[in-house]
């Protein structure tokens, strides 16, 4: 993924979404040819020259200072995740060639697997490409439909956009699909030279119009906490809260755990799922689909 294109398209889409009124700028008579801010308006709000801002929006972040990035974030009203994405893009643009080739880890250490196995709630580990790298028995049972995909390592983004079962599995498919792409877009800012990520985006862009539209929006998101509703093919509807934590010793890996409200129908369904997860049939399916660590 070309870093200059990422920068150019990200800044352009952020500028286009802000009206002069939202930016606190006066609007005079006459027709504006753009719905969002003009380049000169962003430059004024950020306190830089128009020529300098044009250079930035063309994708050239070489030598840009942190203070300019902060001012640009304020001018474009970036949220915390968008600001972090801009910093990631600038870091990549100014990194040495060797640093650019760094890719996230794809291996789950035995100690992490033992922690997963000790937990009584569904838990799993993913990388920035949304690969399901490891999980405990209940986590694998919760995500059992993705293990039906014959294309190597189970991947939640591929499942979401390419598997017809996904729209039944995810109760809020449209929102989850947008969030899934936003997570991949944020990862592209951190690791634009990750071949696995580039290949995945290329595959999804080629095979899914719904993915292409969302990818072009350049929205970014990091999952840290929230709720998911899904319809599991074995136990039915589930409403679960999740917490996501970065594994600081393993670059790019995220640990995710799910819980149900005590006494709820979802808690009862999770118990049924745990019973089902103990069957040899599921474990055989998972063993056949899981990557080798």
């Amino acid at each position: 993924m070309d870093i200059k294109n990422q920068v150019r398209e990200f800044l352009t889409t952020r500028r286009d979404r802000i009206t002069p009124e939202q930016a606190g700028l006066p609007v005079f008579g006459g027709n504006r040819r753009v719905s969002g801010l003009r380049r000169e308006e962003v430059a004024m709000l950020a306190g830089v020259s128009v020529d300098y801002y044009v250079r930035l929006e063309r994708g050239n972040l070489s030598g840009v200072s942190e203070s300019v990035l902060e001012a640009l974030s304020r001018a474009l009203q970036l949220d915390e995740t968008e600001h972090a994405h801009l910093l990631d893009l600038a870091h990549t643009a100014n990194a040495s060639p060797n640093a650019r080739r760094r890719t996230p880890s794809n291996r789950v250490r035995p100690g992490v697997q033992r922690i997963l196995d000790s937990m009584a709630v569904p838990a799993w580990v993913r990388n920035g490409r949304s690969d399901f790298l490891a999980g405990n028995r209940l986590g694998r049972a919760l995500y059992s439909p993705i293990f039906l995909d014959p294309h190597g390592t189970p991947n939640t983004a591929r499942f979401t956009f390419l598997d017809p079962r996904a729209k039944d599995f995810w109760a809020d498919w449209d929102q989850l699909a947008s969030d899934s792409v936003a997570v991949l877009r944020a990862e592209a800012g951190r690791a634009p030279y990750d071949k696995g990520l580039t290949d995945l985006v290329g595959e999804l862009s080629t095979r899914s119009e719904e993915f292409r539209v969302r990818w072009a929006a350049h929205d970014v998101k990091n999952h840290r906490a929230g709720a998911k509703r899904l319809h599991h093919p074995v136990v039915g509807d589930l409403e679960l809260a999740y917490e996501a934590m970065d594994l600081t010793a393993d670059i790019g890996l995220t640990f995710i755990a799910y819980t149900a409200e005590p006494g709820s129908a979802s808690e009862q369904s999770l118990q049924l799922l745990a019973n089902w997860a103990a069957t040899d049939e599921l474990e055989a399916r998972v063993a056949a689909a899981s990557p080798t660590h």
Side-chain angles (χ1 to χ4, degrees), residues 48-69:
V48 298
S49 70
V50 175
D51 287 344
Y52 186 66
Y53 176 72
V54 169
R55 170 198 152 189
L56 297 179
E57 195 173 282
R58 285 177 177 168
N60 186 356
L61 294 184
S62 177
V64 65
S65 68
E66 186 173 339
S67 62
V68 168
L69 293 174

Side-chain angles (χ1 to χ4, degrees), residues 39-289:
R39 291 184 180 89
E40 56 267 29
E41 291 170 332
V42 176
M44 179 187 68
L45 290 169
V48 298
S49 70
V50 175
D51 287 344
Y52 186 66
Y53 176 72
V54 169
R55 170 198 152 189
L56 297 179
E57 195 173 282
R58 285 177 177 168
N60 186 356
L61 294 184
S62 177
V64 65
S65 68
E66 186 173 339
S67 62
V68 168
L69 293 174
E70 293 285 347
L72 193 55
S73 289
R74 290 192 297 270
L76 294 173
Q77 300 181 14
L78 303 186
D79 63 23
E80 181 179 349
T81 303
E82 291 169 327
H83 175 66
H85 183 60
L86 180 61
L87 295 181
D88 286 334
L89 293 174
H91 174 77
T92 301
N94 289 282
S96 67
N98 288 335
R100 288 182 178 183
R101 295 189 179 94
R102 293 184 65 192
T103 56
S105 172
N106 291 318
R107 298 183 63 85
V108 175
R109 291 177 291 110
V112 175
Q113 184 64 60
R114 287 194 292 271
I115 293 172
L116 287 167
D117 292 336
S118 72
M119 298 178 69
V121 298
W124 63 296
V125 173
R126 66 164 176 81
N127 58 17
R129 298 191 295 268
S130 299
D131 289 333
F132 191 114
L133 297 179
N136 59 11
R137 177 174 286 182
L138 193 50
R140 296 191 297 268
L142 182 67
Y143 277 85
S144 58
I146 75 171
F147 290 95
L148 299 175
D149 186 346
H151 296 90
T153 304
N155 181 279
T156 57
R158 183 182 291 111
F159 170 76
T160 298
F161 287 98
L162 302 184
D163 194 314
R165 290 176 289 249
K167 291 188 177 181
D168 291 327
F169 185 71
W170 301 120
D172 304 305
W173 182 90
D174 190 71
Q175 183 60 54
L176 185 133
S178 296
D179 291 347
S180 177
V181 176
V183 168
L184 291 180
R185 179 58 85 174
E187 179 67 10
R190 290 186 290 267
Y193 305 102
D194 179 357
K195 185 179 184 301
L197 177 61
T198 302
D199 290 346
L200 175 65
V201 170
E203 177 190 4
L204 297 180
S205 297
T206 300
R207 300 177 61 187
S208 172
E209 173 67 19
E210 291 170 315
F211 179 87
R212 284 196 300 275
V213 170
R214 288 171 170 83
W215 185 253
H218 281 263
D219 292 331
V220 291
K221 183 172 184 176
N222 289 320
H223 281 166
R224 290 293 176 262
K228 283 186 179 177
R229 298 190 309 126
L230 54 89
H231 181 81
H232 195 276
V234 175
V235 300
D237 294 335
L238 289 164
E239 295 188 17
L240 304 174
Y242 70 86
E243 297 288 336
M245 296 153 279
D246 291 335
L247 295 177
T248 55
D250 302 293
I251 296 174
L253 298 192
T254 301
F255 186 104
I256 306 170
Y258 292 88
T259 58
E261 186 71 24
S264 66
S266 292
E267 185 182 49
Q268 296 176 18
S269 294
L270 275 185
Q271 182 56 56
L272 292 175
L273 188 63
N275 296 337
W276 178 74
T279 65
D280 293 337
E281 177 184 357
L282 172 65
E283 289 304 299
R285 180 192 303 171
V286 171

